[in-house]
Amino acid sequence: MNKSIPPYLRIHVEDPPAAVPLPSAELIPGWNQLCAAFEQSTGWPLRYYEQAPANNVELRWSAPLTVEPKAPSGLLALESPGESAPTSASFDAASKLGTALAGLVNHTLRLEHTLWLREAELAAGVPVISGSDSNRHLARRLEAALRGGAQALGCQAAGLYMLDDDTTVLKLRAAWGLPKTRLADPPRRLAAAMADLEALLGHAVVLNDPYLLDRWNPPEDFAAAVCVPVSSPSTPLGTLWFFSTTPRDFNDQQTGVAELVAGRIAADLEREMLLHPAGRVAVEPQQCSDAAAWQRKRLPSVAPLVEGWQLAGWHRSCAALSGEFFDWWVLPCGALALAVGDALHQGVVAALAATSLREQVRACSMFLARPDSILERVGQCLWSGSAGDQFAALGLARLRPDDHRVDVATAGPVHALHLHDNGCTRLGNPVPALASSPEQRYTALPLRPKPGEAVILASDGVIEARDDAGRPWGASCLAETLNAHRHASAQALADAARAALEAHQGLRAREDQTLVVLKRRGTSA
């Protein structure tokens, strides 16, 4: 038998409800008690109708109820009391009280609706913005998915619980069959949510007896439930729960359906985040965090073993991304190279420029021996490769272990210091930054530190660090600190400088700060 294949593509698009229906009376907390109290106090039966009642119901008074403009209305109505039922309030008094209650109910329903929209948008990381195509709102799509999954599983309620950025709590962001007031409940601690933790590991969790319900701490009080993870290919997003009012089990096929619904929801959330302009912005903090972690890993953590010498350094960033760095590496000839760089920018531009500067310095050091020659070549590269707005500060030192000679050169606001028995002095004079001019020349200062002496490279953020009153720390304070600890190791010298700096300005850096210490072992004669 041959199948007839149509020459067109069929695309199924599931349309969510055109309007948000009114919740049932059971989903409005305390409503039944309020109606009973109203009738007991006034003698007039107060009724809540999700849609217009049948013609044979006699209404003495009614007021429309609606969740959103232009949506179908329900009614809050007064029915005629029974012939023998006494009334303690007149019709006018009861209708006035009903009008006030109708206004209060309308206000509550609209607040719940706004909360419903907001929680769904927060699930995707996009802000609450009223769009013209409100019928395609994410909240409707999520509720439609929850409703369809629950009905397919024979469940009476469903909830989507999303992780926060720190993955410490779970918050209800979308629900079906639960009161919308549940969206206002505080988040649950992930550490105490045993079933959710197990689901986030990739396992479906079925709870079908009271012992399991008490032990696994589900978010809602139902007779049975199933929990599955909601995740993107690389990131856990939260958990999806389906609840049953009667005790029952969930077989493999049913848990598979729950996982399919969770996959659809995850795809919808990612789509919303990527398509929405603000959602794309919401991705940037994570990208900046990843870039900052990458920067930190690029800083050297282990000093090379150079006979007769010690090496230490540190870097403090005032923001996630930094424009400063320090580096050390061994050259093919056996010499040791040190660098402290400052891209003289801020934010992402600073991080990109600092990474480029570091790689250029390393590349040039492979074929240029003198630090001043490296500065000039890197400066020319910056000059020719930018639009005239890319400058950098750089301090370089080159140690030849065979004769203990150290050549030092700086460009821009990077400070080179020589620590010796008579104190701590600055090496060289201030010179222009890299790329200030293509003809700019630099000078390397040769130095042969004696045993116990040290060479220090420090960025301008160390020297110009200010306290709460705006007073800079200054080169003199750095020199005094180093001189007071001149007999200590390179690591102890670096730590002492950092401790004194933090005592001056506090633990939080206001500018990027970098310092490297190269010290010759031994003591001076």
Side-chain angles (χ1 to χ4, degrees):
M1 176 191 241
N2 293 329
K3 270 192 173 180
S4 175
I5 301 177
Y8 52 83
L9 177 65
R10 288 182 179 271
I11 299 178
H12 170 71
V13 177
E14 180 179 351
D15 290 324
V20 179
L22 290 173
S24 63
E26 290 75 16
L27 293 180
I28 301 179
W31 179 253
N32 291 329
Q33 294 89 331
L34 176 63
C35 290
F38 187 96
E39 185 172 1
Q40 183 179 3
S41 302
T42 65
W44 293 86
L46 181 67
R47 299 291 182 261
Y48 168 74
Y49 294 97
E50 299 169 43
Q51 55 188 3
N55 294 331
N56 59 351
V57 177
E58 182 183 357
L59 302 180
R60 294 290 304 275
W61 167 92
S62 65
L65 299 177
T66 181
V67 172
E68 55 186 355
K70 301 180 180 179
S73 298
L75 291 176
L76 188 65
L78 292 179
E79 296 181 355
S80 296
E83 294 182 359
S84 60
T87 58
S88 57
S90 66
F91 171 74
D92 288 342
S95 61
K96 287 180 180 179
L97 182 58
T99 301
L101 284 175
L104 185 60
V105 172
N106 265 321
H107 182 66
T108 302
L109 292 175
R110 288 167 186 171
L111 284 177
E112 287 184 353
H113 179 65
T114 301
L115 177 64
W116 176 66
L117 297 176
R118 181 183 66 87
E119 292 297 331
E121 289 174 333
L122 289 175
V126 299
V128 178
I129 297 177
S130 298
S132 58
D133 190 12
S134 60
N135 287 341
R136 297 298 303 169
H137 194 282
L138 176 63
R140 300 179 188 276
R141 303 201 304 272
L142 291 178
E143 186 170 282
L146 295 175
R147 182 186 67 250
Q151 291 175 347
L153 295 174
C155 291
Q156 289 70 50
L160 173 64
Y161 299 83
M162 301 295 293
L163 285 165
D164 66 334
D165 290 339
D166 295 329
T167 64
T168 57
V169 297
L170 287 157
K171 180 72 172 66
L172 181 65
R173 298 297 188 189
W176 176 80
L178 299 173
K180 283 191 170 64
T181 52
R182 291 285 289 105
L183 296 171
D185 288 354
R188 298 182 294 127
R189 289 180 57 248
L190 180 59
M194 301 304 297
D196 298 84
L197 282 170
E198 184 70 18
L200 288 170
L201 294 175
H203 309 136
V205 178
V206 175
L207 307 179
N208 55 10
D209 66 62
Y211 173 75
L212 290 176
L213 291 169
D214 291 340
R215 180 179 178 184
W216 289 88
N217 194 19
E220 304 292 339
D221 185 15
F222 279 82
V226 59
C227 176
V228 294
V230 179
S231 62
S232 69
S234 60
T235 308
L237 302 177
T239 55
L240 174 62
W241 284 83
F242 292 101
F243 304 104
S244 173
T245 55
T246 57
R248 52 164 293 183
D249 197 5
F250 293 87
N251 58 33
D252 291 344
Q253 182 179 2
Q254 290 168 329
T255 57
V257 170
E259 290 170 345
L260 285 175
V261 176
R264 172 188 167 179
I265 288 175
D268 212 359
L269 292 174
E270 287 199 310
R271 174 182 177 274
E272 187 77 10
M273 182 174 63
L274 293 174
L275 290 182
H276 199 291
R280 292 192 293 272
V281 173
V283 179
E284 292 180 4
Q286 181 60 45
Q287 294 175 341
C288 287
S289 177
D290 293 342
W294 181 86
Q295 269 196 317
R296 290 191 296 270
K297 291 178 181 178
R298 300 280 288 177
L299 294 174
S301 57
V302 179
L305 297 176
V306 181
E307 186 176 357
W309 291 85
Q310 297 174 335
L311 189 59
W314 52 260
H315 167 74
R316 299 177 71 204
S317 177
C318 66
L321 295 175
S322 173
E324 289 189 9
F325 68 91
F326 72 92
D327 198 8
W328 51 57
W329 65 99
V330 177
L331 299 171
C333 63
L336 176 68
L338 313 176
V340 168
D342 184 352
L344 301 181
H345 287 282
Q346 293 182 344
V348 176
V349 174
L352 294 173
T355 301
S356 175
L357 177 63
R358 180 178 182 272
E359 298 307 321
Q360 288 185 55
V361 172
R362 280 212 171 202
C364 290
S365 70
M366 294 296 105
F367 60 89
L368 294 173
R370 294 175 56 85
D372 51 342
S373 300
I374 296 174
L375 290 178
E376 292 167 6
R377 180 61 61 89
V378 173
Q380 291 168 0
C381 292
L382 291 178
W383 175 273
S384 61
S386 71
D389 59 349
Q390 186 175 349
F391 304 95
L394 185 63
L396 295 176
R398 181 176 182 267
L399 165 66
R400 298 193 313 198
D402 53 348
D403 60 0
H404 302 294
R405 171 170 169 163
V406 179
D407 294 309
V408 181
T410 61
V414 171
H415 304 257
L417 305 174
H418 179 206
L419 179 63
H420 47 80
D421 280 344
N422 296 325
C424 188
T425 57
R426 177 165 181 167
L427 297 173
N429 297 314
V431 291
L434 298 177
S436 299
S437 166
E439 289 84 24
Q440 180 65 46
R441 295 293 177 260
Y442 299 95
T443 302
L445 301 174
L447 192 68
R448 277 192 174 85
K450 298 176 182 179
E453 296 183 352
V455 174
I456 296 92
L457 296 177
S459 68
D460 203 44
V462 173
I463 306 300
E464 296 298 326
R466 298 177 181 273
D467 62 11
D468 293 336
R471 293 169 297 196
W473 194 37
S476 60
C477 291
L478 174 60
E480 289 175 7
T481 302
L482 294 172
N483 192 49
H485 298 81
R486 65 180 181 275
H487 299 303
S489 65
Q491 186 63 59
L493 276 171
D495 292 342
R498 181 167 186 161
L501 182 62
E502 291 176 352
H504 176 78
Q505 69 163 17
L507 296 178
R508 185 181 182 277
R510 296 175 176 85
E511 293 185 8
D512 292 342
Q513 299 163 349
T514 310
L515 183 138
V516 171
V517 177
L518 174 66
K519 183 174 184 180
R520 187 172 177 184
R521 294 179 183 272
T523 57
S524 57

